[in-house]
Amino acid sequence: SDAICNFVICNDSSLRSQPIIFNPDFFVEKLRHEKPEVFTELVVSNITRLIDLPGAELAQLMGEEDPKLPGANSTASGFFRSLMSLKRKEKGVVFGSPLTEEGIAQVSQLIEYLHKNLRAEGLFRVPGNSIRQQILKDALNSGTDIDLDSGEFHSNDVATLLKVFLGELPEPLLTHKHFHAHLKIADLTLFDEKGNKTSTPDKERQIEALQLLFLILPAPNRSLLKLLLDLLYQTAKKQDKNKMSAHNLALMFAPHILWPRNVTANDLQENITKLNNGVTFMIKHSQKLFKAPAYIRECARLHYLGSRAHTSKDDLDLLASPGSKELQPLKSQKRSRLDSCHQEETQQRTEEALKELFRHVHNMPDSAKKKKLIRQFNKHPTALTPGSDVPSSPAPRRTRSRSFSGLIKVKAASDPCFL
């Protein structure tokens, strides 16, 4: 139901049997490219719904302030920092340069080759031959055609060179701006029935937060990250042969894709385990992390199909009200009927979600927050009233309540973890 069906008229009979592929994130990408400020505010407002980012950390994520990173003011390991900085000054076309599509095209050759050689024991842990690596590095920097299947290079040469490339980027693949957000995502845990925080990771919220955070990565970083995490995921699937689990791979790659540049293990101290576990989680769940959450898709779709004007930038409504303007006529009458049907299904899901949500609010302990939420329900055209059907048994108390708009968005996405 997240995708919109397309009818394509094709006069070429040889192509009619081919499947029609529709990108469910089409409107998300369209919004990102055409209205980046609206897109960023939409995504970031939902990130802050999931994780607590103080003003300074939020400003860093938005690029309004320079990131304040561990080890920035430390004088320890000065030689190490100077050496790494010097290494990155020796820029090539690919290695040591800011990430570009050209660089990704060159490095993707390494990734493609490694996909065919995942059984090598100790892949990414066992170092390759330094001479062969330098030959390969020079070839990639100069744009020379390379035949990696010729047998001239070993899989360990290629794997080590991929790590070198990532390590020589001016900033980590996940960028300095996102560093503090990743620390907060690692802290997302479940609550017990009494509303107390447990030590059990809240995987669903972590996945959702990573999906959102990856949406606002620079396009080249996101492209390469997807290629890399997929490679590591496939490598971990063959750990019976290569002896490299997701955790082992995370230990190899966390310093290159997540740690701030020019820092040592001492700089990170208690955060090292958290960062390594975070990369382990990304590898294990990589197949889910590059899809926009359903409510982001719906919001982007409605933004272009114009079901109703948004009341504010930071509360883009997912739902069309009964009295809203009709959609603009589409080119195809069939497409109009399909879209109308999709709207009806969305409205029905919304009403069911609102009923469930009101039952939850009704069973909350009496408080000013509860009264405020009930007042907002009464203003909503499809909201229930206090006398409506509600369960008699009280629900467990939660320690945290979100904004009304945030609750609606999550429930509209059919996410059970909305507090």
Side-chain angles (χ1 to χ4, degrees), residues 260-273:
R261 288 295 181 242
N262 301 338
V263 302
T264 66
N266 288 334
D267 294 325
L268 297 174
Q269 297 177 358
E270 73 275 7
N271 287 328
I272 274 195
T273 299

PDB file of all heavy atoms in Angstrom, residues 260-273:
ATOM      1  N   PRO A 260      35.295   9.873  14.632  1.00  0.00           N
ATOM      2  CA  PRO A 260      35.796  11.158  14.120  1.00  0.00           C
ATOM      3  C   PRO A 260      37.252  11.028  13.684  1.00  0.00           C
ATOM      4  O   PRO A 260      37.997  10.186  14.203  1.00  0.00           O
ATOM      5  CB  PRO A 260      35.657  12.100  15.324  1.00  0.00           C
ATOM      6  CG  PRO A 260      34.628  11.459  16.192  1.00  0.00           C
ATOM      7  CD  PRO A 260      34.790   9.985  16.004  1.00  0.00           C
ATOM      8  N   ARG A 261      37.652  11.842  12.746  1.00  0.00           N
ATOM      9  CA  ARG A 261      39.016  11.791  12.233  1.00  0.00           C
ATOM     10  C   ARG A 261      40.022  12.258  13.290  1.00  0.00           C
ATOM     11  O   ARG A 261      39.745  13.113  14.124  1.00  0.00           O
ATOM     12  CB  ARG A 261      39.156  12.661  10.987  1.00  0.00           C
ATOM     13  CG  ARG A 261      38.460  12.083   9.765  1.00  0.00           C
ATOM     14  CD  ARG A 261      39.129  10.767   9.348  1.00  0.00           C
ATOM     15  NE  ARG A 261      38.519  10.186   8.156  1.00  0.00           N
ATOM     16  CZ  ARG A 261      37.927   9.003   8.124  1.00  0.00           C
ATOM     17  NH1 ARG A 261      37.821   8.286   9.220  1.00  0.00           N
ATOM     18  NH2 ARG A 261      37.427   8.538   7.002  1.00  0.00           N
ATOM     19  N   ASN A 262      41.215  11.663  13.203  1.00  0.00           N
ATOM     20  CA  ASN A 262      42.350  12.048  14.046  1.00  0.00           C
ATOM     21  C   ASN A 262      42.090  11.827  15.529  1.00  0.00           C
ATOM     22  O   ASN A 262      42.577  12.571  16.379  1.00  0.00           O
ATOM     23  CB  ASN A 262      42.747  13.514  13.820  1.00  0.00           C
ATOM     24  CG  ASN A 262      43.117  13.792  12.379  1.00  0.00           C
ATOM     25  OD1 ASN A 262      43.468  12.878  11.635  1.00  0.00           O
ATOM     26  ND2 ASN A 262      43.015  15.037  11.967  1.00  0.00           N
ATOM     27  N   VAL A 263      41.294  10.813  15.866  1.00  0.00           N
ATOM     28  CA  VAL A 263      41.105  10.467  17.272  1.00  0.00           C
ATOM     29  C   VAL A 263      41.676   9.085  17.525  1.00  0.00           C
ATOM     30  O   VAL A 263      41.875   8.285  16.606  1.00  0.00           O
ATOM     31  CB  VAL A 263      39.622  10.489  17.688  1.00  0.00           C
ATOM     32  CG1 VAL A 263      39.006  11.842  17.447  1.00  0.00           C
ATOM     33  CG2 VAL A 263      38.837   9.394  16.977  1.00  0.00           C
ATOM     34  N   THR A 264      41.972   8.811  18.784  1.00  0.00           N
ATOM     35  CA  THR A 264      42.458   7.499  19.183  1.00  0.00           C
ATOM     36  C   THR A 264      41.398   6.814  20.032  1.00  0.00           C
ATOM     37  O   THR A 264      40.381   7.417  20.401  1.00  0.00           O
ATOM     38  CB  THR A 264      43.745   7.633  20.011  1.00  0.00           C
ATOM     39  OG1 THR A 264      43.425   8.295  21.245  1.00  0.00           O
ATOM     40  CG2 THR A 264      44.793   8.432  19.251  1.00  0.00           C
ATOM     41  N   ALA A 265      41.649   5.556  20.370  1.00  0.00           N
ATOM     42  CA  ALA A 265      40.726   4.829  21.229  1.00  0.00           C
ATOM     43  C   ALA A 265      40.598   5.512  22.590  1.00  0.00           C
ATOM     44  O   ALA A 265      39.533   5.517  23.200  1.00  0.00           O
ATOM     45  CB  ALA A 265      41.192   3.383  21.396  1.00  0.00           C
ATOM     46  N   ASN A 266      41.687   6.112  23.070  1.00  0.00           N
ATOM     47  CA  ASN A 266      41.643   6.806  24.363  1.00  0.00           C
ATOM     48  C   ASN A 266      40.711   8.008  24.316  1.00  0.00           C
ATOM     49  O   ASN A 266      40.077   8.356  25.313  1.00  0.00           O
ATOM     50  CB  ASN A 266      43.052   7.262  24.763  1.00  0.00           C
ATOM     51  CG  ASN A 266      43.932   6.089  25.169  1.00  0.00           C
ATOM     52  OD1 ASN A 266      43.425   5.059  25.613  1.00  0.00           O
ATOM     53  ND2 ASN A 266      45.235   6.227  24.989  1.00  0.00           N
ATOM     54  N   ASP A 267      40.648   8.674  23.160  1.00  0.00           N
ATOM     55  CA  ASP A 267      39.765   9.838  23.032  1.00  0.00           C
ATOM     56  C   ASP A 267      38.297   9.440  23.202  1.00  0.00           C
ATOM     57  O   ASP A 267      37.491  10.196  23.749  1.00  0.00           O
ATOM     58  CB  ASP A 267      39.939  10.510  21.664  1.00  0.00           C
ATOM     59  CG  ASP A 267      41.313  11.134  21.489  1.00  0.00           C
ATOM     60  OD1 ASP A 267      41.859  11.641  22.482  1.00  0.00           O
ATOM     61  OD2 ASP A 267      41.831  11.099  20.365  1.00  0.00           O
ATOM     62  N   LEU A 268      37.962   8.250  22.707  1.00  0.00           N
ATOM     63  CA  LEU A 268      36.564   7.826  22.725  1.00  0.00           C
ATOM     64  C   LEU A 268      36.172   7.141  24.039  1.00  0.00           C
ATOM     65  O   LEU A 268      35.013   7.152  24.420  1.00  0.00           O
ATOM     66  CB  LEU A 268      36.293   6.891  21.546  1.00  0.00           C
ATOM     67  CG  LEU A 268      36.474   7.535  20.172  1.00  0.00           C
ATOM     68  CD1 LEU A 268      36.328   6.497  19.073  1.00  0.00           C
ATOM     69  CD2 LEU A 268      35.462   8.648  19.964  1.00  0.00           C
ATOM     70  N   GLN A 269      37.144   6.523  24.685  1.00  0.00           N
ATOM     71  CA  GLN A 269      36.948   5.890  25.982  1.00  0.00           C
ATOM     72  C   GLN A 269      35.681   5.053  26.040  1.00  0.00           C
ATOM     73  O   GLN A 269      35.551   4.052  25.350  1.00  0.00           O
ATOM     74  CB  GLN A 269      36.968   6.964  27.083  1.00  0.00           C
ATOM     75  CG  GLN A 269      38.300   7.683  27.172  1.00  0.00           C
ATOM     76  CD  GLN A 269      38.300   8.783  28.208  1.00  0.00           C
ATOM     77  OE1 GLN A 269      37.296   9.048  28.849  1.00  0.00           O
ATOM     78  NE2 GLN A 269      39.444   9.427  28.384  1.00  0.00           N
ATOM     79  N   GLU A 270      34.707   5.441  26.894  1.00  0.00           N
ATOM     80  CA  GLU A 270      33.542   4.583  27.127  1.00  0.00           C
ATOM     81  C   GLU A 270      32.634   4.462  25.908  1.00  0.00           C
ATOM     82  O   GLU A 270      31.749   3.614  25.877  1.00  0.00           O
ATOM     83  CB  GLU A 270      32.707   5.110  28.311  1.00  0.00           C
ATOM     84  CG  GLU A 270      31.911   6.379  28.042  1.00  0.00           C
ATOM     85  CD  GLU A 270      32.719   7.650  28.241  1.00  0.00           C
ATOM     86  OE1 GLU A 270      33.945   7.539  28.464  1.00  0.00           O
ATOM     87  OE2 GLU A 270      32.123   8.735  28.185  1.00  0.00           O
ATOM     88  N   ASN A 271      32.838   5.298  24.894  1.00  0.00           N
ATOM     89  CA  ASN A 271      31.966   5.247  23.718  1.00  0.00           C
ATOM     90  C   ASN A 271      32.393   4.212  22.683  1.00  0.00           C
ATOM     91  O   ASN A 271      31.649   3.952  21.734  1.00  0.00           O
ATOM     92  CB  ASN A 271      31.903   6.622  23.048  1.00  0.00           C
ATOM     93  CG  ASN A 271      31.083   7.608  23.845  1.00  0.00           C
ATOM     94  OD1 ASN A 271      30.126   7.223  24.517  1.00  0.00           O
ATOM     95  ND2 ASN A 271      31.455   8.871  23.807  1.00  0.00           N
ATOM     96  N   ILE A 272      33.576   3.630  22.855  1.00  0.00           N
ATOM     97  CA  ILE A 272      34.071   2.699  21.829  1.00  0.00           C
ATOM     98  C   ILE A 272      33.132   1.505  21.668  1.00  0.00           C
ATOM     99  O   ILE A 272      32.755   1.140  20.550  1.00  0.00           O
ATOM    100  CB  ILE A 272      35.494   2.207  22.180  1.00  0.00           C
ATOM    101  CG1 ILE A 272      36.509   3.198  21.645  1.00  0.00           C
ATOM    102  CG2 ILE A 272      35.766   0.850  21.583  1.00  0.00           C
ATOM    103  CD1 ILE A 272      37.914   2.661  21.607  1.00  0.00           C
ATOM    104  N   THR A 273      32.741   0.893  22.767  1.00  0.00           N
ATOM    105  CA  THR A 273      31.847  -0.268  22.685  1.00  0.00           C
ATOM    106  C   THR A 273      30.528   0.123  22.034  1.00  0.00           C
ATOM    107  O   THR A 273      29.974  -0.602  21.203  1.00  0.00           O
ATOM    108  CB  THR A 273      31.592  -0.845  24.087  1.00  0.00           C
ATOM    109  OG1 THR A 273      32.843  -1.261  24.650  1.00  0.00           O
ATOM    110  CG2 THR A 273      30.651  -2.032  24.022  1.00  0.00           C
TER     111      THR A 273
END
